[in-house]
């Protein structure tokens, strides 16, 4: 088998927790989960590009970039992006 045949074909991202480092103070919006609405499907964690949502669906705000992808993908609309207080 050649090297190109061994190469994986699917475009699956494998983000590393906080790959871009700690967020600092520049984030404008942060995700807040409404646990009453959440059905624990885990899609938010699957889509988070910074892998900052753990198995307990807790969001590590030290690394969250506030991109809003989790809120956008949540089928229950359980995540609200809330403006940061400075
Ligand atoms: S995607 Fe929404 S419903 Fe699913 S675990 Fe995340 S917050 Fe909960
Ligand atoms: S806002 Fe972006 S970085 Fe933060 S938890 Fe949601 S998907 Fe991850």
């Amino acid at each position: 088998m050649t090297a190109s045949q061994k190469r994986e074909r699917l475009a699956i991202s494998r983000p590393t927790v906080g790959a871009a480092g700690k967020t600092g103070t520049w984030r404008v919006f942060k995700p807040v989960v409404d646990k009453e609405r959440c059905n624990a499907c885990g899609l938010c964690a699957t889509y988070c590009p910074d892998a900052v949502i753990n198995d307990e669906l807790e969001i590590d705000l030290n690394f969250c970039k506030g991109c809003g992808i989790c809120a956008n993908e949540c089928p229950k609309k359980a995540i609200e992006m809330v403006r940061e207080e400075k």
Side-chain angles (χ1 to χ4, degrees):
M1 188 178 285
T2 66
S4 65
Q5 286 173 318
K6 283 186 212 165
R7 202 170 53 216
E8 292 181 43
R9 302 289 178 187
L10 294 175
I12 299 172
S13 75
R14 291 189 178 77
T16 307
V17 177
K22 287 194 175 183
T23 303
T25 58
W26 58 263
R27 186 178 56 221
V28 180
F29 292 94
K30 66 180 177 184
V32 176
V33 179
D34 180 345
K35 297 205 186 270
E36 296 291 312
R37 285 189 175 204
C38 173
N39 67 0
C41 68
L43 276 177
C44 52
T46 300
Y47 280 99
C48 175
D50 236 2
V52 300
I53 306 176
N54 66 17
D55 289 344
E56 281 72 47
L57 302 174
E58 297 158 339
I59 299 173
D60 187 342
L61 292 175
N62 286 320
F63 294 101
C64 166
K65 302 298 181 285
C67 64
I69 290 174
C70 53
N72 202 47
E73 297 298 333
C74 174
K76 302 293 285 182
K77 298 292 171 217
I79 303 177
E80 182 182 1
M81 298 304 292
V82 176
R83 185 173 281 276
E84 292 275 8
E85 292 176 19
K86 299 284 180 190

XYZ file of all heavy atoms in Angstrom:
669
model
N 0.847 -1.201 0.000
C 0.000 0.000 0.000
C 0.884 1.253 0.000
O 1.819 1.364 0.777
C -0.896 -0.024 1.249
C -1.936 1.071 1.251
S -3.016 1.017 2.693
C -4.061 -0.376 2.296
N 0.596 2.161 -0.936
C 1.402 3.381 -1.017
C 0.991 4.374 0.066
O -0.070 4.233 0.683
C 1.221 4.065 -2.382
O -0.123 4.527 -2.472
C 1.510 3.102 -3.523
N 1.820 5.375 0.241
C 1.534 6.376 1.279
C 0.213 7.090 1.005
O -0.565 7.359 1.920
C 2.673 7.387 1.342
N -0.073 7.364 -0.283
C -1.309 8.095 -0.587
C -2.540 7.231 -0.338
O -3.596 7.723 0.031
C -1.302 8.595 -2.026
O -1.305 7.501 -2.914
N -2.396 5.900 -0.511
C -3.527 5.016 -0.237
C -3.805 4.926 1.253
O -4.927 4.724 1.675
C -3.249 3.621 -0.805
C -3.372 3.555 -2.317
C -2.939 2.210 -2.863
O -1.935 1.648 -2.427
N -3.703 1.698 -3.817
N -2.756 5.057 2.060
C -2.945 4.984 3.507
C -3.565 6.255 4.067
O -4.154 6.253 5.124
C -1.589 4.777 4.197
C -1.053 3.375 4.104
C 0.207 3.281 4.947
C 1.162 2.284 4.338
N 2.493 2.403 4.895
N -3.413 7.335 3.334
C -3.894 8.619 3.840
C -5.405 8.583 4.039
O -6.131 8.043 3.226
C -3.532 9.724 2.844
C -3.501 11.100 3.453
C -2.915 12.108 2.496
N -3.582 12.074 1.212
C -2.972 12.263 0.047
N -1.681 12.492 0.011
N -3.627 12.221 -1.087
N -5.875 9.153 5.135
C -7.311 9.174 5.390
C -8.001 10.098 4.409
O -7.465 11.136 4.036
C -7.568 9.638 6.827
C -7.099 8.614 7.841
C -7.374 9.065 9.244
O -8.477 9.586 9.489
O -6.484 8.915 10.078
N -9.177 9.693 3.976
C -9.887 10.420 2.934
C -10.888 11.418 3.483
O -11.260 12.353 2.805
C -10.634 9.432 2.032
C -9.732 8.412 1.382
C -8.870 9.033 0.316
N -7.969 8.038 -0.259
C -7.020 8.326 -1.107
N -6.814 9.561 -1.478
N -6.247 7.378 -1.582
N -11.387 11.199 4.670
C -12.437 12.066 5.188
C -11.856 13.337 5.799
O -10.828 13.289 6.460
C -13.266 11.333 6.260
C -14.071 10.144 5.741
C -14.748 9.435 6.902
C -15.101 10.586 4.727
N -12.529 14.430 5.550
C -12.068 15.710 6.095
C -12.603 15.882 7.509
O -13.521 16.647 7.772
C -12.545 16.847 5.200
N -12.059 15.125 8.423
C -12.483 15.214 9.820
C -11.481 16.078 10.564
O -10.287 15.812 10.540
C -12.546 13.824 10.479
C -13.549 12.958 9.743
C -12.877 13.941 11.949
C -13.549 11.519 10.199
N -11.970 17.097 11.236
C -11.040 17.931 11.996
C -10.772 17.288 13.347
O -11.623 16.604 13.904
C -11.596 19.336 12.190
O -12.605 19.330 13.156
N -9.584 17.449 13.812
C -9.233 16.936 15.134
C -8.663 18.089 15.952
O -7.453 18.226 16.097
C -8.224 15.797 15.024
C -8.814 14.563 14.405
C -7.879 13.376 14.507
N -8.504 12.194 13.949
C -8.629 11.960 12.655
N -8.139 12.804 11.788
N -9.218 10.864 12.228
N -9.537 18.942 16.444
C -9.040 20.103 17.176
C -8.377 19.693 18.479
O -8.694 18.664 19.059
C -10.311 20.918 17.438
C -11.420 19.927 17.362
C -10.996 18.874 16.392
N -7.449 20.487 18.893
C -6.780 20.295 20.170
C -7.303 21.351 21.123
O -7.544 22.487 20.712
C -5.261 20.490 19.997
O -4.820 19.642 18.949
C -4.517 20.162 21.276
N -7.494 20.971 22.359
C -8.044 21.919 23.308
C -7.217 23.191 23.330
O -6.013 23.162 23.558
C -8.095 21.322 24.723
C -8.607 22.355 25.711
C -9.013 20.117 24.746
N -7.906 24.298 23.059
C -7.241 25.590 23.127
C -6.007 25.677 22.262
O -4.998 26.238 22.674
N -6.077 25.143 21.056
C -4.893 25.104 20.192
C -4.321 26.502 19.947
O -3.124 26.666 19.746
C -5.234 24.441 18.864
N -5.192 27.493 19.967
C -4.735 28.865 19.739
C -4.365 29.562 21.051
O -4.108 30.756 21.066
C -5.805 29.657 19.002
N -4.349 28.799 22.133
C -3.971 29.373 23.416
C -5.156 29.960 24.170
O -6.291 29.914 23.699
N -4.865 30.487 25.344
C -5.930 31.108 26.135
C -6.481 32.323 25.403
O -5.748 33.027 24.699
C -5.407 31.501 27.514
C -5.186 30.297 28.407
C -5.013 30.706 29.854
C -4.927 29.461 30.722
N -4.817 29.802 32.154
N -7.749 32.559 25.614
C -8.421 33.589 24.834
C -8.067 34.995 25.285
O -7.973 35.905 24.470
C -9.946 33.383 24.918
O -10.236 32.068 24.457
C -10.699 34.386 24.070
N -7.849 35.182 26.560
C -7.581 36.542 27.032
C -8.865 37.348 27.112
O -9.929 36.801 27.407
N -8.780 38.629 26.802
C -9.926 39.512 27.050
C -10.630 39.984 25.784
O -11.535 40.796 25.852
C -9.467 40.766 27.818
O -8.460 41.423 27.043
C -8.913 40.412 29.179
N -10.217 39.501 24.624
C -10.780 40.053 23.392
C -12.135 39.491 23.013
O -12.829 40.044 22.165
C -9.812 39.911 22.219
C -9.388 38.505 21.904
C -8.247 37.898 22.316
C -10.105 37.533 21.134
N -8.192 36.600 21.854
C -9.322 36.359 21.126
C -11.326 37.527 20.450
C -9.718 35.197 20.469
C -11.723 36.371 19.793
C -10.920 35.233 19.808
N -12.554 38.370 23.620
C -13.824 37.751 23.225
C -14.984 38.718 23.478
O -15.051 39.358 24.521
C -14.018 36.458 24.009
C -15.251 35.669 23.554
C -15.368 34.358 24.335
N -15.402 34.626 25.742
C -14.749 33.900 26.677
N -14.063 32.848 26.340
N -14.817 34.235 27.945
N -15.894 38.820 22.543
C -17.013 39.756 22.647
C -18.270 39.057 23.173
O -19.018 39.618 23.959
C -17.309 40.414 21.286
C -18.470 41.391 21.390
C -16.062 41.127 20.757
N -18.484 37.816 22.736
C -19.647 37.059 23.190
C -19.186 35.730 23.775
O -18.210 35.147 23.304
C -20.621 36.785 22.031
C -21.308 38.018 21.514
C -20.789 38.707 20.429
C -22.469 38.490 22.112
C -21.416 39.843 19.945
C -23.101 39.625 21.645
C -22.578 40.309 20.552
N -19.919 35.252 24.772
C -19.609 33.938 25.339
C -20.881 33.077 25.326
O -21.996 33.597 25.455
C -19.060 34.057 26.759
C -20.078 34.585 27.753
C -19.486 34.683 29.146
C -20.498 35.285 30.112
N -19.967 35.487 31.441
N -20.716 31.766 25.172
C -21.878 30.892 25.150
C -22.378 30.591 26.558
O -21.590 30.323 27.469
C -21.341 29.623 24.482
C -19.887 29.624 24.811
C -19.454 31.052 24.934
N -23.690 30.643 26.708
C -24.324 30.281 27.982
C -25.383 29.227 27.675
O -26.244 29.436 26.814
C -24.965 31.510 28.660
C -25.700 31.094 29.930
C -23.897 32.560 28.970
N -25.287 28.080 28.359
C -26.178 26.954 28.074
C -27.393 26.981 28.997
O -27.268 27.118 30.207
C -25.430 25.613 28.251
C -26.365 24.442 27.979
C -24.212 25.562 27.339
N -28.563 26.848 28.393
C -29.800 26.694 29.154
C -29.995 25.197 29.396
O -30.382 24.449 28.493
C -30.968 27.266 28.346
C -32.298 27.129 29.079
O -32.381 26.357 30.047
O -33.262 27.796 28.665
N -29.670 24.751 30.592
C -29.678 23.311 30.875
C -31.084 22.715 30.830
O -31.249 21.503 30.696
C -29.016 23.046 32.225
C -27.548 23.453 32.238
C -26.756 22.693 33.250
C -25.337 23.219 33.340
N -24.388 22.648 32.504
N -32.093 23.555 30.959
C -33.475 23.072 30.854
C -33.781 22.633 29.413
O -34.509 21.675 29.196
C -34.451 24.184 31.256
C -34.338 24.620 32.709
C -34.812 23.536 33.654
O -35.889 22.984 33.419
O -34.064 23.237 34.614
N -33.225 23.353 28.466
C -33.479 23.023 27.058
C -32.559 21.933 26.540
O -32.919 21.195 25.639
C -33.261 24.269 26.191
C -34.361 25.277 26.275
C -34.128 26.333 25.219
N -35.216 27.286 25.172
C -35.516 28.012 24.101
N -34.795 27.902 23.026
N -36.518 28.837 24.129
N -31.357 21.865 27.063
C -30.333 20.950 26.552
C -30.768 19.489 26.705
O -31.232 19.087 27.766
C -29.028 21.188 27.321
S -27.745 19.994 26.927
N -30.592 18.716 25.637
C -30.921 17.285 25.701
C -29.660 16.420 25.704
O -29.724 15.218 25.480
C -31.836 16.892 24.539
C -31.150 16.994 23.192
O -29.983 17.367 23.118
N -31.865 16.677 22.127
N -28.518 17.058 25.924
C -27.231 16.362 26.047
C -26.854 15.581 24.791
O -26.206 14.545 24.870
C -27.220 15.449 27.270
N -27.225 16.096 23.625
C -26.906 15.386 22.377
C -25.412 15.437 22.062
O -24.895 14.594 21.343
C -27.703 15.973 21.221
S -27.222 17.666 20.769
N -24.724 16.462 22.560
C -23.280 16.552 22.351
C -22.849 17.197 21.042
O -21.659 17.269 20.748
N -23.791 17.656 20.241
C -23.415 18.252 18.957
C -22.547 19.489 19.135
O -21.641 19.744 18.348
C -24.666 18.607 18.149
C -25.271 17.476 17.326
C -26.535 17.954 16.630
C -24.272 16.953 16.314
N -22.820 20.267 20.161
C -22.022 21.474 20.401
C -20.551 21.096 20.579
O -19.663 21.746 20.022
C -22.545 22.240 21.604
S -22.733 21.235 23.088
N -20.308 20.037 21.336
C -18.932 19.598 21.567
C -18.306 19.076 20.281
O -17.121 19.283 20.016
C -18.906 18.517 22.641
N -19.104 18.425 19.467
C -18.602 17.894 18.199
C -18.146 19.011 17.279
O -17.116 18.901 16.610
C -19.699 17.076 17.497
O -20.075 16.006 18.349
C -19.216 16.536 16.157
N -18.898 20.087 17.255
C -18.608 21.159 16.303
C -17.648 22.214 16.838
O -17.090 22.984 16.056
C -19.907 21.842 15.873
C -20.654 21.068 14.816
C -21.729 20.246 15.158
C -20.281 21.153 13.479
C -22.408 19.528 14.192
C -20.963 20.432 12.505
C -22.027 19.628 12.864
O -22.693 18.917 11.905
N -17.452 22.299 18.128
C -16.580 23.352 18.667
C -15.176 23.237 18.070
O -14.495 22.226 18.272
C -16.492 23.250 20.192
S -15.299 24.440 20.861
N -14.722 24.232 17.342
C -13.411 24.133 16.682
C -12.238 24.156 17.651
O -11.129 23.782 17.284
C -13.391 25.359 15.758
C -14.339 26.316 16.376
C -15.398 25.494 17.045
N -12.486 24.591 18.878
C -11.396 24.645 19.846
C -11.492 23.529 20.886
O -10.698 23.491 21.817
C -11.380 26.008 20.539
C -10.028 26.692 20.393
O -9.156 26.121 19.722
O -9.843 27.780 20.953
N -12.461 22.629 20.698
C -12.602 21.448 21.570
C -12.648 21.819 23.045
O -12.004 21.182 23.877
C -11.482 20.445 21.300
N -13.404 22.849 23.358
C -13.416 23.311 24.746
C -14.677 22.891 25.506
O -14.892 23.329 26.625
C -13.247 24.849 24.829
C -11.935 25.272 24.205
C -14.408 25.575 24.189
N -15.499 22.033 24.884
C -16.691 21.524 25.568
C -16.420 20.069 25.928
O -16.201 19.233 25.047
C -17.944 21.653 24.685
C -18.115 23.106 24.201
C -19.186 21.191 25.449
C -19.273 23.328 23.252
N -16.413 19.765 27.209
C -15.999 18.427 27.640
C -17.183 17.441 27.656
O -18.303 17.779 27.264
C -15.291 18.486 29.004
C -16.227 18.908 30.130
O -17.459 18.868 29.995
N -15.662 19.322 31.244
N -16.914 16.222 28.114
C -17.933 15.166 28.100
C -19.124 15.506 28.979
O -20.229 15.012 28.762
C -17.322 13.837 28.560
C -16.366 13.275 27.522
O -16.415 13.740 26.362
O -15.580 12.377 27.864
N -18.899 16.339 29.974
C -20.012 16.775 30.838
C -20.702 18.006 30.255
O -21.554 18.608 30.894
C -19.515 17.084 32.250
C -19.295 15.844 33.121
C -18.066 15.055 32.695
O -17.013 15.691 32.499
O -18.164 13.829 32.513
N -20.279 18.371 29.048
C -20.845 19.518 28.323
C -20.600 20.835 29.049
O -21.378 21.781 28.948
C -22.347 19.306 28.052
C -22.651 18.025 27.255
C -24.138 17.799 27.160
C -22.015 18.067 25.878
N -19.479 20.878 29.767
C -19.047 22.132 30.386
C -18.128 22.853 29.402
O -17.310 22.220 28.726
C -18.289 21.847 31.692
C -19.145 21.177 32.734
C -18.314 20.432 33.783
O -17.145 20.091 33.503
O -18.864 20.183 34.861
N -18.288 24.161 29.321
C -17.492 24.956 28.383
C -16.352 25.630 29.129
O -16.574 26.324 30.125
C -18.374 26.009 27.695
C -19.487 25.318 26.897
C -17.533 26.904 26.774
C -20.521 26.265 26.313
N -15.132 25.401 28.670
C -13.965 26.029 29.293
C -13.791 27.426 28.682
O -13.259 27.579 27.571
C -12.719 25.183 29.051
C -11.513 25.708 29.811
O -11.538 26.894 30.234
O -10.539 24.956 29.971
N -14.256 28.418 29.406
C -14.227 29.783 28.888
C -12.821 30.371 28.836
O -12.597 31.423 28.238
C -15.151 30.684 29.706
C -16.647 30.372 29.546
C -17.485 31.228 30.498
C -17.112 30.568 28.111
N -11.844 29.694 29.451
C -10.460 30.167 29.317
C -9.988 30.066 27.871
O -9.112 30.824 27.448
C -9.520 29.346 30.201
C -9.671 29.695 31.651
O -9.820 30.861 32.001
N -9.673 28.682 32.510
N -10.576 29.110 27.141
C -10.124 28.867 25.773
C -11.192 29.146 24.724
O -10.876 29.279 23.552
C -9.641 27.418 25.634
C -8.411 27.123 26.440
C -8.492 26.464 27.657
C -7.166 27.522 25.996
C -7.364 26.206 28.413
C -6.030 27.268 26.740
C -6.127 26.611 27.960
N -12.454 29.189 25.120
C -13.546 29.466 24.175
C -13.285 30.786 23.469
O -12.958 31.787 24.097
C -14.864 29.525 24.937
S -16.215 30.238 23.987
N -13.443 30.778 22.131
C -13.183 31.987 21.343
C -14.448 32.780 21.052
O -14.413 33.788 20.362
C -12.478 31.618 20.028
C -11.156 30.881 20.231
C -10.143 31.735 20.969
C -8.811 31.040 21.163
N -8.830 30.008 22.185
N -15.585 32.251 21.510
C -16.826 33.000 21.312
C -17.301 33.018 19.883
O -18.018 33.937 19.471
N -16.954 31.998 19.124
C -17.298 31.995 17.698
C -18.779 31.789 17.448
O -19.297 32.170 16.403
C -16.499 30.909 16.970
S -16.905 29.228 17.514
N -19.465 31.132 18.382
C -20.909 30.943 18.233
C -21.311 29.724 17.428
O -22.497 29.491 17.199
N -20.344 28.931 17.008
C -20.680 27.731 16.224
C -21.532 26.780 17.055
O -22.508 26.205 16.561
C -19.389 27.045 15.731
C -18.729 27.913 14.668
C -19.686 25.646 15.184
C -17.373 27.428 14.209
N -21.198 26.618 18.320
C -21.974 25.721 19.182
C -23.439 26.160 19.231
O -24.353 25.343 19.101
C -21.378 25.674 20.584
S -21.164 27.304 21.341
N -23.656 27.458 19.387
C -25.031 27.974 19.457
C -25.744 27.769 18.134
O -26.932 27.434 18.095
C -24.997 29.452 19.824
N -25.012 27.947 17.062
C -25.605 27.795 15.734
C -26.000 26.352 15.458
O -27.014 26.080 14.813
C -24.599 28.276 14.683
C -25.268 28.651 13.390
O -26.273 29.359 13.400
N -24.747 28.172 12.301
N -25.201 25.413 15.929
C -25.453 23.997 15.636
C -26.416 23.345 16.614
O -26.952 22.276 16.325
C -24.128 23.214 15.633
C -23.156 23.647 14.553
C -23.707 23.432 13.146
O -24.553 22.536 12.958
O -23.301 24.177 12.240
N -26.642 23.944 17.750
C -27.477 23.310 18.780
C -28.913 23.133 18.268
O -29.597 24.111 17.977
C -27.484 24.162 20.043
S -28.648 23.519 21.277
N -29.391 21.885 18.171
C -30.736 21.648 17.641
C -31.837 22.108 18.592
O -32.978 22.295 18.168
C -30.776 20.125 17.446
C -29.785 19.590 18.411
C -28.697 20.633 18.510
N -31.510 22.271 19.855
C -32.517 22.693 20.837
C -32.466 24.198 21.112
O -33.198 24.692 21.947
C -32.301 21.933 22.161
C -32.356 20.423 22.031
C -33.732 19.936 21.669
C -34.672 20.000 22.861
N -36.004 19.483 22.526
N -31.567 24.880 20.410
C -31.397 26.323 20.642
C -31.191 26.607 22.133
O -31.778 27.529 22.706
C -32.586 27.127 20.104
C -32.770 26.996 18.610
C -31.624 27.655 17.865
C -31.648 27.367 16.379
N -30.349 27.191 15.762
N -30.346 25.778 22.735
C -30.119 25.860 24.175
C -28.917 26.724 24.534
O -28.636 26.933 25.711
C -29.926 24.452 24.742
N -28.199 27.209 23.512
C -27.022 28.022 23.793
C -27.264 29.442 23.317
O -27.576 29.665 22.149
C -25.761 27.453 23.113
C -25.528 26.009 23.551
C -24.544 28.314 23.443
C -24.344 25.338 22.888
N -27.115 30.359 24.236
C -27.261 31.775 23.888
C -25.882 32.429 23.941
O -25.105 32.177 24.874
C -28.198 32.457 24.892
C -28.450 33.923 24.580
C -29.339 34.601 25.615
O -29.744 33.927 26.583
O -29.603 35.798 25.462
N -25.575 33.247 22.933
C -24.321 33.991 22.943
C -24.588 35.319 23.652
O -25.388 36.135 23.187
C -23.808 34.219 21.533
C -23.490 32.933 20.770
S -22.304 31.851 21.611
C -20.807 32.819 21.518
N -23.933 35.493 24.771
C -24.172 36.647 25.635
C -22.968 37.579 25.582
O -21.824 37.128 25.671
C -24.420 36.185 27.090
C -24.579 37.367 28.026
C -25.641 35.283 27.137
N -23.221 38.846 25.428
C -22.121 39.815 25.344
C -21.297 39.807 26.631
O -21.854 39.785 27.727
C -22.677 41.232 25.086
C -21.597 42.272 24.875
C -22.183 43.602 24.458
N -22.535 43.641 23.047
C -21.671 43.923 22.061
N -20.405 44.173 22.338
N -22.057 43.932 20.815
N -19.994 39.827 26.485
C -19.093 39.867 27.635
C -19.199 41.214 28.338
O -19.346 42.253 27.680
C -17.637 39.676 27.179
C -17.328 38.315 26.641
C -16.969 37.328 27.733
O -17.115 37.662 28.925
O -16.553 36.227 27.373
N -19.127 41.186 29.649
C -19.047 42.450 30.385
C -17.584 42.783 30.571
O -16.807 41.947 31.001
C -19.754 42.321 31.732
C -21.246 42.170 31.581
C -21.943 41.946 32.907
O -21.336 42.266 33.949
O -23.059 41.437 32.878
N -17.202 43.982 30.207
C -15.790 44.372 30.310
C -15.563 45.203 31.558
O -16.424 45.914 31.992
C -15.365 45.168 29.080
C -15.500 44.377 27.774
C -14.398 43.361 27.622
C -14.560 42.596 26.304
N -13.677 41.462 26.209
S -25.949 20.916 21.109
Fe -27.438 21.937 22.429
S -28.819 20.307 23.095
Fe -26.963 19.324 22.302
S -25.617 19.065 24.113
Fe -25.085 21.018 23.185
S -26.317 22.540 24.304
Fe -27.232 20.533 24.672
S -18.348 29.724 21.111
Fe -17.011 28.604 19.674
S -15.148 28.185 20.848
Fe -16.724 28.734 22.333
S -17.608 26.791 22.977
Fe -18.869 27.566 21.271
S -18.001 26.608 19.430
Fe -16.487 26.414 21.077
